[in-house]
Each structure stands twice: as structure tokens, then as C-alpha cells.
Amino acid sequence: MSDTPRAWDAHCHADLFDEPTSVARECDSARVAVLAVTTTPRAFVPNQRLFAKYPNIRVALGIHPELAASKEADLALFSSLLSETKFIGEVGLDGRPQHWRTLPVQRELLRAILRLCHNQNKVFSLHSPRAVKELLDEIENCIPDPDTVKILHWFTGTKSEAQRAIELGCYFSVNHAMLSKATNHAIIQSLPIERVLTETDGPFVKVDGRPSRPPDVLIAAEMLARLWGTPADVAERQLLANASFLFQN
Ligand code: MN
């Protein structure tokens, strides 16, 4: 993509679509840039190759907390690839019923990742379902460096947890599924607009029954505009400024 982006998808599993290169071409023509998160360090180099022709797809190095107890959680490989990127994701904690048993292992892995990234000005996309308090504790205790960017992807916490995250300097990437639930609106409205980003979490999030693709962030921007009471183009410009500040360079 040679044109500057119009919008950013701050959390997308671009490699997990059936046709990742057609998604990449679509982003190119819609001028939507993407933070392509990975769930295992084994996917990092293949993703870099897959999207090499698309400079506005930035590949992040990750170990999904769901895989913390598996052999995919290859910390040695993660460490060896760390100098290749400033983007880390996705990583975090998952306290949902199917994963809470591995929470201690997840926490150990996350702490090891944070130690490796200490003082390196990385940009993190962080996962925290049913573990918001636990994740914020790790951010507070293990990320002392204020230049580390912490983006809470698909935040599901309470209003007071959102306040705590704001005080810790976190950003929030919101998607279509979050915005479609009226019960989330008050929390989303409580976030400072300069801390809000858009994401799709595609292909996992569905929009109109099909996997969400990066250009869908433009729909999320419209929904945010309605919540903020601003024209869509004003919201779009704000979201672009927020994301460009974090992702460019
Ligand atoms: Mn994800």
C-alpha cells in the first residue's frame, strides 16, 4: 500500500482467513492498515512472508494465553524473534471457564514475556476476558516503563476497571461485536476518545453472519461516531490520529 491509511484495524488474525492475500488486497484498496496479531511465535515468520508485499499490514509476535500450556508457547522462539518487531500480540490472560485452570501458567508466561520486552518500547495488544483485574495487576506491577503501549483488545471489564486501565495509560481497541451490545455503550462512552482504537478481531467476530474483515473498522467508526455524537468523518479522523500515533514508524 503506497497511500496513507484511512483507518486502522488494531487487532486482526489476518492469517486465519481462508484467503489471507485477498484480505490483504482488500485492505490495500480500502486503505485500511492492520495490526496482524499471531497466536504462536511459529506463525510470525510465515506471516511476515505472507504479507511482505503489504507494508500497511504490520505483523505482531504473540503467544495466545489459550495456548500457554501447550508446546505452541515457545518462549525461546518468541525471544529470538523479538528484535524483528515492535508489535506484541496477542498475549494476555484468559479466565473463561475453559481456560481458568491454566491461569497460573498463563500468568507465568505473561510475566516472562513482559520481562523480555522490558524497556523496549513495544506496542502490546492484550487479551483479558474474565481476567481484567488480573491483567491490570500485571500491567501495574510488570510494565513500569511508561513508553510501552498497552492496548486492551475487546475489553470486557467494569466501569471502575476501565477507569483503572485509563489511569495505567491503556488504550482500548473496540470491535463491531462490542459496539453492537447496548449494555457496553456506557463503558465505551466513558473512555477518553484519544484512547480509543478500532479493531475487528476477524475472522472470529462476525458481522452480518460473515467473518469480520479489516474494512469493517469503518462501520465501527460510524458506530463510535453515534456514541460520541460527532459526524462520522470527525470520528474517523480522531481514530486515525490515535492509531497513527501508536503504529506508524
Ligand atoms: Mn484475537
PDB file of all heavy atoms in Angstrom, residues 11-13 37 39 64 90 125 127 153-154 199-202 204, ligand 1:
ATOM      1  N   HIS A  11      -6.435  -5.060  15.715  1.00  0.00           N
ATOM      2  CA  HIS A  11      -6.329  -6.451  16.177  1.00  0.00           C
ATOM      3  C   HIS A  11      -7.082  -7.348  15.208  1.00  0.00           C
ATOM      4  O   HIS A  11      -8.316  -7.426  15.232  1.00  0.00           O
ATOM      5  CB  HIS A  11      -6.903  -6.601  17.599  1.00  0.00           C
ATOM      6  CG  HIS A  11      -6.715  -7.966  18.188  1.00  0.00           C
ATOM      7  ND1 HIS A  11      -5.843  -8.213  19.235  1.00  0.00           N
ATOM      8  CD2 HIS A  11      -7.268  -9.165  17.896  1.00  0.00           C
ATOM      9  CE1 HIS A  11      -5.881  -9.499  19.550  1.00  0.00           C
ATOM     10  NE2 HIS A  11      -6.748 -10.097  18.754  1.00  0.00           N
ATOM     11  N   CYS A  12      -6.322  -8.009  14.352  1.00  0.00           N
ATOM     12  CA  CYS A  12      -6.955  -8.890  13.361  1.00  0.00           C
ATOM     13  C   CYS A  12      -6.067 -10.116  13.192  1.00  0.00           C
ATOM     14  O   CYS A  12      -4.840 -10.011  13.182  1.00  0.00           O
ATOM     15  CB  CYS A  12      -7.064  -8.141  12.029  1.00  0.00           C
ATOM     16  SG  CYS A  12      -7.738  -9.149  10.691  1.00  0.00           S
ATOM     17  N   HIS A  13      -6.703 -11.289  13.069  1.00  0.00           N
ATOM     18  CA  HIS A  13      -5.954 -12.521  12.795  1.00  0.00           C
ATOM     19  C   HIS A  13      -5.944 -12.716  11.285  1.00  0.00           C
ATOM     20  O   HIS A  13      -6.622 -13.599  10.754  1.00  0.00           O
ATOM     21  CB  HIS A  13      -6.611 -13.702  13.514  1.00  0.00           C
ATOM     22  CG  HIS A  13      -6.615 -13.551  15.005  1.00  0.00           C
ATOM     23  ND1 HIS A  13      -5.613 -14.054  15.794  1.00  0.00           N
ATOM     24  CD2 HIS A  13      -7.468 -12.905  15.841  1.00  0.00           C
ATOM     25  CE1 HIS A  13      -5.865 -13.750  17.064  1.00  0.00           C
ATOM     26  NE2 HIS A  13      -6.977 -13.054  17.125  1.00  0.00           N
ATOM     27  N   VAL A  37      -2.176  -9.753  14.384  1.00  0.00           N
ATOM     28  CA  VAL A  37      -1.683 -10.466  15.564  1.00  0.00           C
ATOM     29  C   VAL A  37      -1.522 -11.944  15.236  1.00  0.00           C
ATOM     30  O   VAL A  37      -2.165 -12.468  14.322  1.00  0.00           O
ATOM     31  CB  VAL A  37      -2.618 -10.276  16.781  1.00  0.00           C
ATOM     32  CG1 VAL A  37      -2.684  -8.814  17.199  1.00  0.00           C
ATOM     33  CG2 VAL A  37      -4.017 -10.813  16.512  1.00  0.00           C
ATOM     34  N   THR A  39      -1.003 -15.997  17.103  1.00  0.00           N
ATOM     35  CA  THR A  39      -1.316 -16.721  18.342  1.00  0.00           C
ATOM     36  C   THR A  39      -0.153 -17.594  18.794  1.00  0.00           C
ATOM     37  O   THR A  39      -0.168 -18.100  19.908  1.00  0.00           O
ATOM     38  CB  THR A  39      -2.565 -17.603  18.158  1.00  0.00           C
ATOM     39  OG1 THR A  39      -2.364 -18.445  17.027  1.00  0.00           O
ATOM     40  CG2 THR A  39      -3.807 -16.759  17.925  1.00  0.00           C
ATOM     41  N   HIS A  64      -0.870 -16.659  22.298  1.00  0.00           N
ATOM     42  CA  HIS A  64      -2.210 -16.521  22.864  1.00  0.00           C
ATOM     43  C   HIS A  64      -2.286 -17.241  24.203  1.00  0.00           C
ATOM     44  O   HIS A  64      -1.798 -18.369  24.317  1.00  0.00           O
ATOM     45  CB  HIS A  64      -3.236 -17.102  21.888  1.00  0.00           C
ATOM     46  CG  HIS A  64      -4.621 -16.627  22.155  1.00  0.00           C
ATOM     47  ND1 HIS A  64      -5.334 -17.009  23.258  1.00  0.00           N
ATOM     48  CD2 HIS A  64      -5.411 -15.771  21.467  1.00  0.00           C
ATOM     49  CE1 HIS A  64      -6.525 -16.421  23.231  1.00  0.00           C
ATOM     50  NE2 HIS A  64      -6.594 -15.662  22.148  1.00  0.00           N
ATOM     51  N   GLU A  90      -1.215 -11.722  19.883  1.00  0.00           N
ATOM     52  CA  GLU A  90      -1.770 -11.288  21.118  1.00  0.00           C
ATOM     53  C   GLU A  90      -1.213 -12.083  22.281  1.00  0.00           C
ATOM     54  O   GLU A  90      -0.841 -13.255  22.124  1.00  0.00           O
ATOM     55  CB  GLU A  90      -3.305 -11.343  21.083  1.00  0.00           C
ATOM     56  CG  GLU A  90      -3.935 -12.722  20.990  1.00  0.00           C
ATOM     57  CD  GLU A  90      -5.464 -12.596  20.924  1.00  0.00           C
ATOM     58  OE1 GLU A  90      -6.061 -12.017  21.841  1.00  0.00           O
ATOM     59  OE2 GLU A  90      -6.031 -13.060  19.932  1.00  0.00           O
ATOM     60  N   SER A 125      -0.884  -5.747  22.158  1.00  0.00           N
ATOM     61  CA  SER A 125      -2.322  -5.963  22.077  1.00  0.00           C
ATOM     62  C   SER A 125      -2.656  -7.076  23.063  1.00  0.00           C
ATOM     63  O   SER A 125      -2.194  -8.213  22.926  1.00  0.00           O
ATOM     64  CB  SER A 125      -2.742  -6.358  20.658  1.00  0.00           C
ATOM     65  OG  SER A 125      -4.157  -6.503  20.613  1.00  0.00           O
ATOM     66  N   HIS A 127      -5.122  -9.426  25.668  1.00  0.00           N
ATOM     67  CA  HIS A 127      -6.377 -10.170  25.773  1.00  0.00           C
ATOM     68  C   HIS A 127      -6.685 -10.376  27.263  1.00  0.00           C
ATOM     69  O   HIS A 127      -5.788 -10.683  28.031  1.00  0.00           O
ATOM     70  CB  HIS A 127      -6.086 -11.492  25.044  1.00  0.00           C
ATOM     71  CG  HIS A 127      -7.070 -12.592  25.147  1.00  0.00           C
ATOM     72  ND1 HIS A 127      -7.882 -12.939  24.083  1.00  0.00           N
ATOM     73  CD2 HIS A 127      -7.322 -13.493  26.125  1.00  0.00           C
ATOM     74  CE1 HIS A 127      -8.604 -14.006  24.418  1.00  0.00           C
ATOM     75  NE2 HIS A 127      -8.293 -14.363  25.653  1.00  0.00           N
ATOM     76  N   HIS A 153      -7.447  -5.231  24.081  1.00  0.00           N
ATOM     77  CA  HIS A 153      -8.278  -5.646  22.959  1.00  0.00           C
ATOM     78  C   HIS A 153      -9.538  -6.302  23.525  1.00  0.00           C
ATOM     79  O   HIS A 153      -9.461  -7.080  24.470  1.00  0.00           O
ATOM     80  CB  HIS A 153      -7.420  -6.576  22.078  1.00  0.00           C
ATOM     81  CG  HIS A 153      -8.032  -7.886  21.734  1.00  0.00           C
ATOM     82  ND1 HIS A 153      -9.040  -7.987  20.815  1.00  0.00           N
ATOM     83  CD2 HIS A 153      -7.784  -9.130  22.184  1.00  0.00           C
ATOM     84  CE1 HIS A 153      -9.359  -9.273  20.708  1.00  0.00           C
ATOM     85  NE2 HIS A 153      -8.647  -9.978  21.521  1.00  0.00           N
ATOM     86  N   TRP A 154     -10.705  -5.927  22.984  1.00  0.00           N
ATOM     87  CA  TRP A 154     -12.005  -6.483  23.394  1.00  0.00           C
ATOM     88  C   TRP A 154     -12.147  -6.442  24.917  1.00  0.00           C
ATOM     89  O   TRP A 154     -12.358  -7.462  25.576  1.00  0.00           O
ATOM     90  CB  TRP A 154     -12.194  -7.912  22.853  1.00  0.00           C
ATOM     91  CG  TRP A 154     -13.635  -8.314  22.766  1.00  0.00           C
ATOM     92  CD1 TRP A 154     -14.664  -7.854  23.562  1.00  0.00           C
ATOM     93  CD2 TRP A 154     -14.232  -9.235  21.851  1.00  0.00           C
ATOM     94  NE1 TRP A 154     -15.848  -8.446  23.188  1.00  0.00           N
ATOM     95  CE2 TRP A 154     -15.617  -9.288  22.151  1.00  0.00           C
ATOM     96  CE3 TRP A 154     -13.712 -10.007  20.800  1.00  0.00           C
ATOM     97  CZ2 TRP A 154     -16.488 -10.111  21.434  1.00  0.00           C
ATOM     98  CZ3 TRP A 154     -14.587 -10.828  20.092  1.00  0.00           C
ATOM     99  CH2 TRP A 154     -15.953 -10.876  20.413  1.00  0.00           C
ATOM    100  N   GLU A 199     -10.883  -2.188  16.015  1.00  0.00           N
ATOM    101  CA  GLU A 199     -10.335  -3.498  15.649  1.00  0.00           C
ATOM    102  C   GLU A 199     -11.470  -4.317  15.043  1.00  0.00           C
ATOM    103  O   GLU A 199     -12.637  -3.930  15.136  1.00  0.00           O
ATOM    104  CB  GLU A 199      -9.805  -4.222  16.894  1.00  0.00           C
ATOM    105  CG  GLU A 199     -10.905  -4.566  17.915  1.00  0.00           C
ATOM    106  CD  GLU A 199     -10.502  -5.601  18.962  1.00  0.00           C
ATOM    107  OE1 GLU A 199      -9.426  -5.481  19.556  1.00  0.00           O
ATOM    108  OE2 GLU A 199     -11.308  -6.535  19.202  1.00  0.00           O
ATOM    109  N   THR A 200     -11.107  -5.453  14.434  1.00  0.00           N
ATOM    110  CA  THR A 200     -12.162  -6.390  14.005  1.00  0.00           C
ATOM    111  C   THR A 200     -12.120  -7.697  14.791  1.00  0.00           C
ATOM    112  O   THR A 200     -13.128  -8.353  14.948  1.00  0.00           O
ATOM    113  CB  THR A 200     -12.036  -6.745  12.510  1.00  0.00           C
ATOM    114  OG1 THR A 200     -10.754  -7.340  12.278  1.00  0.00           O
ATOM    115  CG2 THR A 200     -12.235  -5.526  11.623  1.00  0.00           C
ATOM    116  N   ASP A 201     -10.951  -8.115  15.254  1.00  0.00           N
ATOM    117  CA  ASP A 201     -10.740  -9.471  15.766  1.00  0.00           C
ATOM    118  C   ASP A 201     -11.243 -10.503  14.760  1.00  0.00           C
ATOM    119  O   ASP A 201     -11.667 -11.592  15.121  1.00  0.00           O
ATOM    120  CB  ASP A 201     -11.366  -9.694  17.143  1.00  0.00           C
ATOM    121  CG  ASP A 201     -10.680 -10.812  17.930  1.00  0.00           C
ATOM    122  OD1 ASP A 201      -9.586 -11.255  17.520  1.00  0.00           O
ATOM    123  OD2 ASP A 201     -11.249 -11.278  18.935  1.00  0.00           O
ATOM    124  N   GLY A 202     -11.188 -10.130  13.465  1.00  0.00           N
ATOM    125  CA  GLY A 202     -11.550 -11.090  12.424  1.00  0.00           C
ATOM    126  C   GLY A 202     -10.523 -12.208  12.376  1.00  0.00           C
ATOM    127  O   GLY A 202      -9.378 -11.990  12.762  1.00  0.00           O
ATOM    128  N   PHE A 204     -12.753 -14.027  13.807  1.00  0.00           N
ATOM    129  CA  PHE A 204     -13.570 -14.593  14.895  1.00  0.00           C
ATOM    130  C   PHE A 204     -14.867 -13.827  15.113  1.00  0.00           C
ATOM    131  O   PHE A 204     -15.911 -14.427  15.342  1.00  0.00           O
ATOM    132  CB  PHE A 204     -12.751 -14.674  16.190  1.00  0.00           C
ATOM    133  CG  PHE A 204     -11.553 -15.565  16.032  1.00  0.00           C
ATOM    134  CD1 PHE A 204     -10.268 -15.062  16.153  1.00  0.00           C
ATOM    135  CD2 PHE A 204     -11.716 -16.897  15.701  1.00  0.00           C
ATOM    136  CE1 PHE A 204      -9.165 -15.878  15.965  1.00  0.00           C
ATOM    137  CE2 PHE A 204     -10.621 -17.719  15.507  1.00  0.00           C
ATOM    138  CZ  PHE A 204      -9.337 -17.216  15.643  1.00  0.00           C
TER     139      PHE A 204
HETATM  140 MN    MN B   1      -7.779 -12.093  18.942  1.00  0.00          MN
END
